[in-house]
Amino acid sequence: MQKYCDVIILGGGMVGLSIAYQLVKRDITKNIIIIDNENELGKHSSGRNSGVLHAGLYYKPNTIKAKVCVEGAKRLKEWVKDRKLAINQCGKIIVPQKAHLDNQLDVIAERGKANGAIIEMWDEKQLRSLIPEAISATGRAIWSPNTVVVNPKSILKQLELELTDKGVVFLVGQKDWSTKPEHKKIILRNGGEITYGHLINCTGLQADRVAHNFGVGLNFNILPFKGLYWQIKTSCPIQPKTNLYPVPDLNVPFLGVHFTPSAESPAVVSIGPTATPALGRYNYKGLEGLEPLMACSSLATLASQYISNRGGFRRYVHEQALLVLPHLIHKAAQELIPSLKLENIEKSKKVGIRSQLFNHITQSLEDDFICLPGESSTHVLNAISPAFTASFALADLIIEHTGLISNQKIKDVNI
Ligand SMILES: Cc1cc2nc3c(=O)[nH]c(=O)nc-3n(C[C@H](O)[C@H](O)[C@H](O)COP(=O)(O)OP(=O)(O)OC[C@H]3O[C@@H](n4cnc5c(N)ncnc54)[C@H](O)[C@@H]3O)c2cc1C
């Protein structure tokens, strides 16, 4: 097989599908091939996340996250509603779990307002009116009415259907393709060759390795963090009807253990995700996916971060890194809902791994999305949360980066 396409997208997660969707929507091209190495879409982050469409509260103004989260959430929410997919418009509350974290509420509120998010400061009475069992260490809370919860897998499925309908080609199960960047070529395992105009790398947990094949982003490596979930048993009388989050450690890109009702009705309330070192990119279950080399280098990196305490890393280790045991996750949950008993919660089957990037030059975890140019190619790295939420707006920025469309044309068109 010899084929030409205008754009090859490597990785059929939410970022890759959103880029394809926006390329088609804007009439830039339909001559797109999406290559994924799994047999079906949604096997990694995009099919294994909390499904929260974030309202843009946490991100430092002027970061890419801050620029795309509010607009991306708005567009994706409308898209989901238009298609009558599951959505729980339940909002979100953030409470300080300890008194000394109270001033962080003001930082989050200021950032959120600067990013265009709608925020209200609530007192304990307002908090209890929504979740009677919840507490705030200082009586204050942030209310975010625009946070919603969706079903990520149903969104991926719908995008796949619509893109296929428009003529976009999906090649799944493509495990061992190789590349010749200088000839703009991808060679498939069966010998088939695809020549492309531009290639976009959105391979999530493999994005660093793929970028390295193009000589791009050599100072970055994925340092994967696992997110385990528990859930409240359906028999438990405590069932929060809205998202309930603690004040996060703003120095690390994790939001702390929180409660999230699912998109479906009646909702199942999940607790988590944790953020523990994964020691393997696909180490979802036990130690099945442990990568010994990666485990050694991850542990060495984490140890050096701990010793230098860069970005207050020790606080993350003490409070979040070891939350794998039921009684520890229960303790973290009790900081928000003290009356929740250990026997009220059970382990969920859901688990995801974050494609967190580590920068070997700055010796720190990257916080923002990163988009790097290569030869006739663009590489999307560190597509961590809220990349799912922001994907439609993030896709515009990435397309702009590829040079496939002028800036003005991007601004003129919506959804
Ligand atoms: C536990 C957890 C909870 C989260 N919660 C939220 C949330 O509530 N809200 C939110 O906005 N975000 C959340 N996120 C983040 C969000 O899931 C990601 O930002 C988003 O899904 C990233 O999408 P992606 O397309 O970059 O990656 P992925 O979904 O991982 O897609 C990458 C694709 O590339 C494919 N691939 C890999 N290697 C190759 C290769 N060599 N060749 C071809 N294909 C390849 C993979 O099979 C995969 O399909 C969460 C993440 C985790 C882990």
Side-chain angles (χ1 to χ4, degrees):
M1 178 184 86
Q2 281 266 5
K3 216 173 157 35
Y4 168 83
C5 66
D6 290 339
V7 179
I8 275 196
I9 296 176
L10 298 174
M14 190 59 186
V15 174
L17 297 186
S18 298
I19 293 170
Y21 186 80
Q22 300 304 334
L23 285 170
V24 172
K25 188 87 195 164
R26 286 172 166 70
D27 278 338
I28 300 169
T29 179
K30 287 181 186 163
N31 186 6
I32 302 167
I33 296 180
I34 299 180
I35 295 182
D36 201 288
N37 60 358
E38 298 288 357
N39 291 327
E40 55 181 288
L41 305 186
K43 296 282 257 185
H44 301 296
S45 302
S46 300
R48 293 170 169 274
N49 62 46
S50 307
V52 177
L53 298 192
H54 291 289
L57 307 187
Y58 304 103
Y59 320 115
K60 281 188 197 145
N62 295 322
T63 57
I64 306 177
K65 284 183 178 180
K67 283 188 191 133
V68 293
C69 186
V70 173
E71 194 209 324
K74 194 169 147 216
R75 284 163 57 178
L76 186 53
K77 204 191 298 182
E78 289 311 312
W79 188 91
V80 166
K81 283 199 213 164
D82 282 351
R83 284 148 184 85
K84 304 206 174 349
L85 300 178
I87 184 163
N88 185 347
Q89 301 187 70
C90 57
K92 158 169 162 173
I93 297 174
I94 305 175
V95 291
Q97 63 279 33
K98 302 210 170 82
H100 74 269
L101 295 170
D102 188 73
N103 62 352
Q104 296 292 293
L105 283 184
D106 298 315
V107 176
I108 295 168
E110 266 165 40
R111 286 187 186 179
K113 281 179 194 156
N115 297 342
I118 293 173
I119 282 169
E120 288 173 28
M121 273 297 179
W122 272 12
D123 59 25
E124 197 141 31
K125 198 168 152 214
Q126 288 168 302
L127 163 66
R128 295 265 170 109
S129 70
L130 261 193
I131 311 179
E133 304 84 2
I135 59 155
S136 153
T138 60
R140 291 206 308 157
I142 284 178
W143 167 239
S144 157
N146 286 340
T147 303
V148 304
V149 186
V150 295
N151 179 328
K153 281 201 171 157
S154 71
I155 293 177
L156 295 180
K157 192 85 232 152
Q158 183 67 26
L159 276 169
E160 186 182 3
L161 278 174
E162 291 187 24
L163 287 170
T164 306
D165 196 46
K166 296 284 182 199
V168 171
V169 174
F170 284 82
L171 298 179
V172 294
Q174 298 296 332
K175 291 248 178 276
D176 295 314
W177 54 265
S178 58
T179 176
K180 286 188 183 160
E182 65 284 13
H183 297 123
K184 299 197 198 182
K185 233 179 223 178
I186 290 281
I187 300 130
L188 304 176
R189 187 158 60 173
N190 67 7
E193 292 189 357
I194 308 168
T195 312
Y196 53 81
H198 198 89
L199 176 145
I200 309 180
N201 162 18
C202 314
T203 52
L205 285 158
Q206 301 285 349
D208 57 336
R209 284 180 175 159
V210 172
H212 296 172
N213 285 337
F214 286 76
V216 171
L218 300 177
N219 57 312
F220 295 113
N221 270 112
I222 297 278
L223 185 59
F225 284 87
K226 194 188 281 196
L228 296 169
Y229 290 86
W230 269 256
Q231 61 193 33
I232 301 185
K233 289 181 185 167
T234 48
S235 56
C236 173
I238 304 169
Q239 299 287 341
K241 297 274 179 288
T242 182
N243 289 285
L244 179 63
Y245 280 61
V247 164
D249 178 350
L250 292 171
N251 290 313
V252 291
F254 314 122
L255 297 180
V257 168
H258 49 266
F259 294 86
T260 299
S262 63
E264 291 75 22
S265 177
V268 173
V269 180
S270 62
I271 308 170
T274 57
T276 54
L279 310 180
R281 290 166 203 251
Y282 299 143
N283 190 17
Y284 292 113
K285 208 170 153 206
L287 294 176
E288 268 173 25
L290 184 91
E291 295 176 52
L293 274 181
M294 166 166 264
C296 292
S297 74
S298 295
L299 290 172
T301 303
L302 293 164
S304 89
Q305 293 296 104
Y306 185 84
I307 291 163
S308 65
N309 196 25
R310 203 166 277 111
F313 196 73
R314 276 184 211 155
R315 184 179 157 202
Y316 153 74
V317 173
H318 294 158
E319 293 180 5
Q320 293 195 61
L322 303 171
L323 284 181
V324 282
L325 300 170
H327 75 275
L328 292 179
I329 194 109
H330 173 237
K331 205 171 143 217
Q334 267 193 325
E335 291 187 330
L336 309 181
I337 301 186
S339 54
L340 194 72
K341 300 194 175 83
L342 185 55
E343 59 266 29
N344 294 149
I345 68 172
E346 60 192 356
K347 192 142 188 233
S348 155
K349 286 197 187 105
K350 199 159 82 171
V351 48
I353 297 185
R354 300 169 178 82
S355 49
Q356 176 63 52
L357 212 61
F358 184 77
N359 185 334
H360 292 284
I361 294 175
T362 59
Q363 285 291 308
S364 59
L365 298 179
E366 284 295 332
D367 193 34
D368 208 2
F369 306 141
I370 292 175
C371 193
L372 297 175
E375 193 166 338
S376 302
S377 61
T378 301
H379 302 265
V380 184
L381 300 172
N382 213 38
I384 49 175
S385 185
F388 191 95
T389 301
S391 52
F392 281 5
L394 177 62
D396 285 346
L397 280 193
I398 295 164
I399 292 168
E400 190 178 332
H401 207 274
T402 62
L404 291 165
I405 186 174
S406 73
N407 297 357
Q408 193 49 49
K409 202 166 168 194
I410 285 172
K411 283 177 195 131
D412 287 346
V413 201
N414 241 332
I415 302 191

